Amino acid sequence: MSADTAGPTGLTTDSADAASRIREQRGWYFYDFACSVYSTSVLTVFLGPYLTSVAKAAADADGFVHPLGIPVRAGSLFAYAVSMSVVVAVIVMPIVGAAADRTGRKKPLLAAAAYVGAAATTGMFFLDGHRYLLGAFLLIVANASISVSMVLYNAYLPQIAEPDERDAVSSRGWAFGYTSGAFVLVLNLVLYTGHDSFGLSESDAVRICLASAGVWWGAFTIVPLRRLRDRRVAPGGEGAVGSGWRQLLATLRDMRRHPLTLSFLLAYLVYNDGVQTVISQASVYGSEELGLDQTTLITAVLLVQVLAVAGALAMGRLARVYGAKSTILGSLVVWTLILVAGYFLPAGAPLFFYVLASAIGLVLGGSQALSRSLFSHLVPRGKEAEYFSAYEMSDRGLSWLGPLVFGVAYQLTGSYRDAIISLVIFFVIGSVLLARVPVRQAVAAAGNPVPERI
């Protein structure tokens, strides 16, 4: 059938394909809308300070808790739990990526990962008293689940967007996520600041905010599950569970045939480790080192969400003019300046914290969205899920080193300022590695059409 031949619905083939693609794109955006509330309300705002307070309540006279008999400074528990969640994700993601590629059934796997994570997040309502082990366990399950689900979510991008659309589609996905994060944070702010008028204690309000993120995640996951569709794959191959790690090793061996793709992945692994650690530890830094109250932290993160929507869309436009690589490199310079400024930030000064939050918002969504869309150009056709499994290990899965460095720095020095400044190295090394990747050559080497501007 020629490109302009009418199909059975009366639409031309191109028109029907475009309409189907747009429908899937709109459904795809809604998974960001669903799960980003976990990343903002739970991981960035409430859980870090709250779990730290629960651990401190259970700590001994020297400020240590002893999970499995191991002495851990209470202030490091959250960072270590985040790091452990990544180890769990690393074990599971290759199995899921192999299953998705071998069966072509991404949707059931996406549903399973999403609802396990949503259930664990909802279960955080029961985190009170001295139950720091319960909190750490639920954090590990929820954080690993969102990482696994994002492997499958990201793997849809090359299938639902043409090469020249991907920067825009990826940026819109992030914008949807930050929009939902901002909306729910407004509701959280109302509940938290007015908890007395609602007949709730401060702890009750925090636990409701945590649990509501799980309910939101589960409810809005229905939209992408209804609109996204699975593609057929050629039959054959080993069972996915047994071959998961073998598939990962095969993927890494295959990447040796695409060394420029591997070079980009290495650069992304390094600088994104810094991004993820800043996101997850910012509220702990604000509450424990700067002495800011929870209302200030919620308001600051709300500001990040609002500006991140504009930042993601604006950086998408900059990428059309200057290319994704140059735009990402510019954002990494800003990230470095943010950490240096954060180190010198005076305690008890909300205004300066808001200024820093504004800078984070302007670069956060865009740097992540453009990294995702840039990588999608470097993936050989038919290997989306397995390559995005490796990508997700960089995005979330191998982002264990930053939290570990942060936690160890605090454990050794007792200073969150020393912990936060240690993250500069991730952005400096990541920038150098990215600058050395010839992305146009990398796209061509992967067998994909090279966009006019990249």
Side-chain angles (χ1 to χ4, degrees):
M1 185 180 289
S2 64
D4 57 356
T5 300
T9 62
L11 297 173
T12 65
T13 303
D14 280 353
S15 298
D17 287 346
S20 175
R21 196 167 66 248
I22 290 171
R23 173 181 169 80
E24 283 197 271
Q25 288 171 6
R26 289 173 177 169
W28 186 80
Y29 299 148
F30 266 91
Y31 191 68
D32 250 326
F33 191 85
C35 71
S36 290
V37 172
Y38 165 82
S39 298
T40 53
S41 290
V42 177
L43 196 62
T44 305
V45 178
F46 287 107
L47 188 57
Y50 186 67
L51 182 57
T52 300
S53 70
V54 171
K56 285 184 173 181
D60 60 21
D62 296 321
F64 285 81
V65 290
H66 300 268
L68 304 177
I70 302 170
V72 173
R73 193 184 290 270
S76 295
L77 178 72
F78 176 70
Y80 288 155
V82 171
S83 188
M84 179 59 69
S85 73
V86 174
V87 175
V88 174
V90 166
I91 294 171
V92 177
M93 283 192 293
I95 298 171
V96 172
D101 280 333
R102 290 178 183 276
T103 66
R105 293 176 60 78
K106 296 185 186 72
K107 267 206 305 190
L109 295 168
L110 176 61
Y115 285 110
V116 168
T121 305
T122 305
M124 292 176 186
F125 178 79
F126 301 102
L127 174 59
D128 60 0
H130 291 181
R131 296 178 178 173
Y132 72 92
L133 282 176
L134 174 64
F137 172 75
L138 293 175
L139 168 58
I140 290 167
V141 173
N143 221 40
S145 296
I146 198 170
S147 296
V148 171
S149 72
M150 291 301 289
V151 170
L152 303 155
Y153 171 70
N154 287 336
Y156 274 105
L157 180 58
Q159 297 178 338
I160 65 173
E162 297 295 329
D164 289 333
E165 298 177 308
R166 289 180 199 165
D167 285 348
V169 170
S170 184
S171 295
R172 287 190 202 110
W174 283 107
F176 261 60
Y178 286 119
T179 299
S180 72
F183 175 72
V184 173
L185 273 179
V186 170
L187 300 181
N188 292 159
L189 182 62
V190 171
L191 178 64
Y192 180 81
T193 57
H195 60 81
D196 286 334
S197 62
F198 291 108
L200 299 170
S201 68
E202 182 178 341
S203 174
D204 290 338
V206 171
R207 291 187 296 115
I208 290 172
C209 290
L210 292 171
S212 65
V215 174
W216 181 283
W217 184 359
F220 284 99
T221 294
I222 293 171
V223 179
L225 292 180
R226 288 176 62 89
R227 292 204 169 191
L228 292 171
R229 61 185 179 86
D230 287 329
R231 273 75 174 170
R232 291 182 179 179
V233 296
E238 300 179 68
V241 174
S243 66
W245 277 97
R246 285 191 293 276
Q247 181 65 62
L248 175 61
L249 294 175
T251 300
L252 295 176
R253 282 195 297 269
D254 187 70
M255 281 188 177
R256 292 170 59 186
R257 298 193 298 111
H258 304 283
L260 298 180
T261 299
L262 192 58
S263 295
F264 171 80
L265 197 60
L266 177 62
Y268 181 70
L269 183 155
V270 174
Y271 71 73
N272 188 66
D273 205 345
V275 172
Q276 295 297 325
T277 307
V278 172
I279 293 170
S280 66
Q281 304 303 320
S283 60
V284 175
Y285 182 73
S287 63
E288 299 296 322
E289 182 68 35
L290 303 181
L292 302 175
D293 59 37
Q294 192 74 62
T295 300
T296 299
L297 296 176
I298 297 171
T299 308
V301 175
L302 178 60
L303 182 61
V304 169
Q305 302 306 300
V306 172
L307 291 177
V309 174
L313 297 175
M315 286 182 66
R317 294 191 182 95
L318 286 174
R320 289 200 293 269
V321 177
Y322 299 104
K325 176 184 171 181
S326 296
T327 307
I328 294 168
L329 284 170
S331 76
L332 297 183
V333 172
V334 177
W335 275 110
T336 303
L337 295 175
I338 286 170
L339 288 178
V340 173
Y343 178 81
F344 292 105
L345 210 61
L351 179 60
F352 291 108
F353 192 71
Y354 288 144
V355 172
L356 210 61
S358 300
I360 289 174
L362 290 174
V363 294
L364 175 59
S367 59
Q368 292 179 317
L370 292 177
S371 296
R372 178 171 63 187
S373 62
L374 180 55
F375 183 72
S376 74
H377 292 287
L378 309 181
V379 178
R381 289 179 184 269
K383 297 187 176 182
E384 292 85 4
E386 63 179 85
Y387 268 59
F388 267 108
S389 178
Y391 174 87
E392 189 63 20
M393 286 187 180
S394 301
D395 187 6
R396 298 174 192 267
L398 288 185
S399 293
W400 56 270
L401 184 59
L404 182 61
V405 168
F406 188 94
V408 169
Y410 178 75
Q411 176 127 352
L412 295 177
T413 67
S415 169
Y416 283 107
R417 292 185 188 273
D418 292 338
I420 203 74
I421 199 64
S422 68
L423 303 178
V424 166
I425 193 67
F426 292 98
F427 295 103
V428 173
I429 294 176
S431 297
V432 172
L433 293 175
L434 178 60
R436 294 169 60 87
V437 179
V439 291
R440 297 185 69 83
Q441 184 180 340
V443 175
N448 295 321
V450 182
E452 180 179 348
R453 183 75 64 178
I454 193 170

